[in-house]
């Protein structure tokens, strides 16, 4: 998923509790689902960042010296400016983009 073109809030936002719990009718279950999705998003972003930084990595025989080039710094700054994974997960939840099911419920 492309997290760069999202409309998620970059700063702290207060959400309507009723909107958050509406799909599950249980605020704790909704928060649990949002937290699991935020963990998935965080893993995806971390993997993507590491892959991009590896492209610019310069390897040395000396372990004491670590060189950072301008491209690595720019990539890192870009990812720091993205919304937090929890904000992305809440946005997906409120826009009904998160699939969830309760295995204990019988159909």
């Amino acid at each position: 998923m492309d997290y760069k073109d999202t409309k998620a809030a970059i700063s702290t936002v207060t959400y309507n509790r009723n909107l958050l719990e509406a799909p599950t009718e249980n605020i704790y279950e909704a928060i649990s689902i949002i937290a699991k999705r935020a963990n998935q998003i965080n893993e995806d972003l971390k993997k993507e960042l590491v892959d991009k930084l590896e492209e610019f990595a310069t390897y040395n025989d000396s372990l004491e010296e670590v060189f950072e080039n301008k491209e690595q710094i720019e990539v890192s700054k870009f990812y720091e400016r993205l919304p937090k994974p929890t904000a992305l997960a809440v946005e997906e939840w409120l826009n009904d983009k998160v699939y969830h099911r309760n295995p204990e419920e019988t159909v």
Side-chain angles (χ1 to χ4, degrees):
M1 179 163 194
D2 191 20
Y3 302 114
K4 292 136 189 98
D5 298 327
T6 184
K7 293 177 179 61
I10 295 176
S11 63
T12 305
V13 175
T14 303
Y15 294 101
N16 185 345
R17 177 178 172 248
N18 295 328
L19 291 176
L20 283 177
E21 71 179 10
T24 61
E25 298 177 359
N26 185 335
I27 189 68
Y28 300 108
E29 187 176 348
I31 290 173
S32 175
I33 294 168
I34 293 169
K36 288 177 184 179
R37 180 63 185 138
N39 285 338
Q40 292 173 344
I41 292 170
N42 189 40
E43 289 175 15
D44 290 344
L45 287 174
K46 189 183 291 187
K47 183 180 182 306
E48 189 176 312
L49 174 62
V50 168
D51 290 344
K52 287 191 179 190
L53 289 177
E54 285 293 319
E55 293 175 12
F56 303 111
T58 56
Y59 297 102
N60 243 351
D61 292 339
S62 173
L63 295 176
E64 290 98 27
E65 293 185 50
V66 176
F67 294 103
E68 294 180 359
N69 57 25
K70 186 174 177 144
E71 292 86 9
Q72 285 177 319
I73 294 170
E74 291 300 318
V75 168
S76 296
K77 284 183 180 180
F78 174 78
Y79 278 92
E80 287 176 2
R81 285 189 293 262
L82 286 177
K84 302 291 184 231
T86 51
L88 294 168
V90 170
E91 180 198 10
E92 288 180 359
W93 177 255
L94 292 175
N95 293 327
D96 294 326
K97 294 182 181 178
V98 177
Y99 171 77
H100 64 92
R101 66 181 175 86
N102 189 343
E104 296 175 359
E105 291 180 1
T106 57
V107 178

